[in-house]
């Protein structure tokens, strides 16, 4: 098959660009631990509010025995529980989300936080918010007639202005790993 | 439309396609710069997700 030399050169340029981008992403994935979130834990959506980590008393921001900041939020038509959370900036955070009814999603504009929340599963994301500010927390999966009213907010404060919640969550996690 | 002699036309066809090289360089460099800006200037400073 004849390919014009100029066309070949354009193809080489495109391939070199793809190679560069894939190379950068691969190096970050392999050596800097930047990977797409992957977590498979199941939970019974009908009873998650009765006991375990998603019981009402355990929701929100908590610091576990190892000093890790963990945020647990339940999504349900049409709200996030708790609706407002405050976390420290520049600190590794572990977010654990679960749905009590249908598929929901979360999106925090101006951050990289975005995921689906499937009923029966725990969606876990680890991230750090570098800049203090108030970020809207939006449901980005259509979940019913009240979908557009389903929102909350995440307030990120400077680490020195953040006070860790007094209560710590040392309870056994509600989900089961698979 | 300019009138080219057969000699001029032949010379243009056989010469190096400078305009194409320039376009290739500008488009390639622009796309690489835009990607690097989005990755290192926007995505990573917002806090990587894991």
């Amino acid at each position: 098959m004849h390919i014009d030399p100029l066309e070949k050169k354009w193809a080489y340029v495109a391939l070199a660009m793809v190679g560069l981008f894939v190379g950068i992403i691969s190096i970050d994935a392999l050596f800097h631990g930047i990977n797409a979130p992957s977590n498979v834990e199941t939970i019974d959506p009908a009873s998650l509010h009765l006991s375990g980590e998603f019981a009402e008393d355990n929701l929100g921001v908590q610091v576990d025995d190892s000093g890790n900041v963990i945020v647990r939020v339940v999504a349900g038509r049409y709200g996030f529980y708790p609706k407002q959370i405050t976390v420290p900036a520049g600190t590794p955070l572990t977010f654990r989300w679960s749905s009590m009814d249908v598929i929901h999603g979360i999106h925090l504009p101006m951050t990289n936080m975005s995921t689906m929340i499937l009923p029966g599963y725990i969606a876990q994301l680890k991230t750090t918010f570098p800049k203090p500010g108030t970020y809207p927390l939006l449901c980005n999966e259509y979940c019913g007639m009240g979908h557009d009213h389903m929102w909350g907010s995440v307030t990120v404060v400077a680490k020195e202005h953040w006070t860790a919640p007094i209560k710590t969550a040392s309870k056994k996690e509600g989900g089961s790993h698979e | 439309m300019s009138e080219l002699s057969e000699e001029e036309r032949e010379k243009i066809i056989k010469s190096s396609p400078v305009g194409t090289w320039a376009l290739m360089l500008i488009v390639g460099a622009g796309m690489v710069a835009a990607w690097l800006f989005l990755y290192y200037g926007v995505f990573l400073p917002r806090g990587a997700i894991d």
Side-chain angles (χ1 to χ4, degrees):
Chain A
M1 186 177 71
H2 172 74
I3 301 173
D4 187 87
L6 266 180
E7 203 170 328
K8 267 188 190 172
K9 287 190 175 69
W10 275 104
Y12 293 148
V13 169
L15 285 173
M17 285 181 354
V18 171
L20 173 72
F21 301 154
V22 171
I24 290 172
I25 290 171
S26 302
I27 288 167
D28 273 350
L30 294 170
F31 300 108
H32 302 139
I34 298 173
N35 299 295
S38 62
N39 182 58
V40 180
E41 274 179 81
T42 57
I43 192 166
D44 179 11
S47 61
L48 60 80
H49 61 293
L50 298 177
S51 62
E53 69 170 306
F54 289 100
E56 189 175 354
D57 287 350
N58 293 328
L59 297 179
V61 185
Q62 296 194 337
V63 181
D64 72 6
D65 297 337
S66 314
N68 302 312
V69 181
I70 299 177
V71 184
R72 294 183 179 87
V73 181
V74 168
R77 289 187 294 182
Y78 296 100
F80 293 102
Y81 309 97
K83 190 170 186 175
Q84 199 279 329
I85 52 176
T86 303
V87 292
T91 304
L93 306 167
T94 301
F95 281 85
R96 291 172 64 79
W97 310 83
S98 198
S99 168
M100 65 169 76
D101 41 40
V102 297
I103 296 176
H104 296 283
I106 48 140
H107 176 58
L108 269 76
M110 305 308 288
T111 76
N112 290 333
M113 179 80 80
S114 182
T115 192
M116 285 174 78
I117 310 170
L118 302 171
Y121 291 88
I122 297 170
Q124 179 173 288
L125 292 132
K126 293 179 180 177
T127 193
T128 301
F129 295 125
K131 289 181 187 168
T134 300
Y135 299 89
L137 167 62
L138 310 171
C139 178
N140 68 351
E141 287 287 336
Y142 182 74
C143 54
M145 293 296 283
H147 166 70
D148 55 334
H149 297 288
M150 187 169 169
W151 59 273
S153 70
V154 176
T155 303
V156 180
V157 296
K159 203 186 285 190
E160 56 271 22
H161 296 141
W162 185 74
T163 323
I166 296 167
K167 185 178 55 146
T168 58
S170 55
K171 295 180 177 75
K172 192 183 167 205
E173 292 183 348
S176 59
H177 288 269
E178 286 186 341
Chain B
M1 194 174 161
S2 63
E3 294 292 327
L4 294 174
S5 67
E6 193 55 36
E7 204 173 288
E8 286 171 325
R9 191 176 160 278
E10 196 69 19
K11 191 182 165 191
I12 290 170
I13 287 172
K14 286 184 177 169
S15 64
S16 181
V18 180
T20 302
W21 299 135
L23 188 63
M24 200 182 282
L25 190 72
I26 291 166
V27 170
M31 288 186 73
V32 168
W35 190 93
L36 292 175
F37 168 72
L38 286 175
Y39 189 72
Y40 289 108
V42 178
F43 174 69
L44 289 184
R46 285 181 174 182
I49 294 285
D50 193 12

